[in-house]
Amino acid sequence: MAELPHPLAAFLVAEIRRARGAAGMTQEAFGRAAGFSASHVSAVESGTRGLTLDFIRGADRALNNGGLFERMVEQLGVPSWFLPWLDAERTATQLRCFQPCLVPGLLQTEDYARAVIRCDETLSDQDVEQRLASRIERQVILTRDRAPQFIAVIAEAVLRRAGDDFRDVMAGQIKHLITQAERTNISAHILPDEISMHVGLTGPFSLARSPDHRWVGEMENQLGGVVVDTDADVDTLLSRWETVRNEALPRRQSIELMKEVVNSWT
């Protein structure tokens, strides 16, 4: 399962350790009740092993607290449904993303990402900055050693969604997208507006291929999202990926279109 991002993980580990101590439980007793070895508990508490949703749920069981720590994860800005995708994304050898509405999160600039996150009026400034930091932190997977191959298909309308009050942000975003698309492990393909009807109109989705060659899919919606890994669901998303990818422009033509859009504003 996915490791939670720091500093959220550090906070939760400290709270779990404090609760374990208050309950008078040794690491061995706690681990037995949570479904983990004492050495695993020790590694999580010392920070040498990542905190996962499985461990959090185990802690809730061991402490019989009614799911307190899992609810804390939700309240602190990391929805539990998203954790399996974070794990798949972090370990992927290949990533595929189709976006008809936004620049993919892994390719967003800070200014663009902040503007997108601020669209949720229920979030405080602190919530926005916390989610922004987590999103930018995820992007390091594209520049690490043995980075995954990342291919994105983005609707042309995404590039042109720039009113007067947003044009500078969008120009910076497209320039960043061009720079990223010129990296050897990243491709960005634009789906032209002239392709008016296609299977991708039903919504955005992403795919991650693991080191053992299994695919995991992720789809977001207004109420959250869903991560799928069954053969039938993954096969459907892979088929739809091939369809939208085949309709998109080649890599070099896509970069030229992005440059054309930015130049048209100057």
Side-chain angles (χ1 to χ4, degrees), residues 18-34:
R18 183 196 61 76
R20 176 181 66 77
M25 300 178 74
T26 65
Q27 289 179 338
E28 182 176 0
F30 175 85
R32 188 163 52 248

Side-chain angles (χ1 to χ4, degrees), residues 231-250:
D231 289 344
D233 289 340
V234 168
D235 285 347
T236 296
L237 290 182
L238 285 170
S239 176
R240 295 191 175 193
W241 165 258
E242 291 299 326
T243 300
V244 295
R245 173 64 187 85
N246 289 337
E247 295 283 9
L249 297 174

Side-chain angles (χ1 to χ4, degrees), residues 17 30 76 78 80 102 130 134 166 184 191 224 233 241 261 266:
R17 182 172 56 242
F30 175 85
L76 290 169
V78 182
S80 58
L102 298 167
Q130 184 180 69
S134 295
F166 191 61
T184 57
L191 184 64
D233 289 340
W241 165 258
V261 170
T266 60

Side-chain angles (χ1 to χ4, degrees), residues 13-256:
V13 167
E15 290 301 305
I16 291 171
R17 182 172 56 242
R18 183 196 61 76
R20 176 181 66 77
M25 300 178 74
T26 65
Q27 289 179 338
E28 182 176 0
F30 175 85
R32 188 163 52 248
F36 294 91
S37 67
S39 61
H40 188 120
V41 174
S42 176
V44 171
E45 291 189 354
S46 66
T48 60
R49 185 162 190 160
L51 177 66
T52 66
L53 185 58
D54 277 349
F55 190 91
I56 289 169
R57 287 171 174 165
D60 283 336
R61 288 193 304 271
L63 296 165
N64 194 28
N65 62 12
L68 172 64
F69 291 119
E70 186 172 0
R71 292 199 304 276
M72 288 175 67
V73 171
E74 294 277 1
Q75 290 298 316
L76 290 169
V78 182
S80 58
W81 72 264
F82 196 51
L83 292 176
W85 174 253
L86 289 179
D87 187 48
E89 184 181 80
R90 178 177 58 83
T91 60
T93 58
Q94 297 180 38
L95 290 165
R96 306 285 184 263
C97 178
F98 169 65
Q99 255 297 352
C101 303
L102 298 167
V103 174
L106 291 178
L107 299 175
Q108 292 177 4
T109 64
E110 285 195 26
D111 287 341
Y112 182 93
R114 183 179 287 107
V116 170
I117 296 168
R118 281 194 183 281
C119 288
D120 185 345
E121 296 178 351
T122 67
L123 299 177
S124 67
D125 288 346
Q126 182 178 357
D127 292 335
V128 170
E129 294 304 313
Q130 184 180 69
R131 294 193 181 193
L132 174 64
S134 295
R135 184 166 302 181
I136 298 304
E137 183 181 357
R138 285 169 54 206
Q139 297 177 358
V140 300
I141 67 170
L142 297 181
T143 56
R144 71 187 183 199
D145 291 340
R146 298 183 179 180
Q149 178 198 49
F150 180 44
I151 302 177
V153 172
I154 306 166
E156 182 180 348
V158 173
L159 306 180
R160 301 189 184 278
R161 187 172 292 116
D164 292 340
D165 60 342
F166 191 61
R167 188 155 293 174
D168 288 345
V169 171
M170 198 66 221
Q173 174 61 73
I174 295 176
K175 290 175 183 178
H176 176 72
L177 190 57
I178 293 169
T179 299
Q180 293 295 89
E182 291 176 336
R183 299 178 63 90
T184 57
N185 65 309
I186 300 174
S187 297
H189 300 270
I190 304 304
L191 184 64
D193 284 342
E194 63 190 52
I195 310 297
S196 56
M197 297 299 294
H198 55 83
V199 72
L201 292 173
T202 53
F205 62 90
S206 299
L207 289 154
R209 192 183 193 207
S210 67
D212 62 359
H213 311 299
R214 290 187 58 82
W215 287 94
V216 174
E218 177 263 339
M219 299 170 290
E220 295 185 35
N221 56 55
Q222 290 289 339
L223 298 179
V226 61
V227 176
V228 298
D229 59 5
T230 64
D231 289 344
D233 289 340
V234 168
D235 285 347
T236 296
L237 290 182
L238 285 170
S239 176
R240 295 191 175 193
W241 165 258
E242 291 299 326
T243 300
V244 295
R245 173 64 187 85
N246 289 337
E247 295 283 9
L249 297 174
R251 180 177 188 170
R252 185 50 53 186
Q253 285 182 246
S254 296
I255 291 175
E256 291 304 314

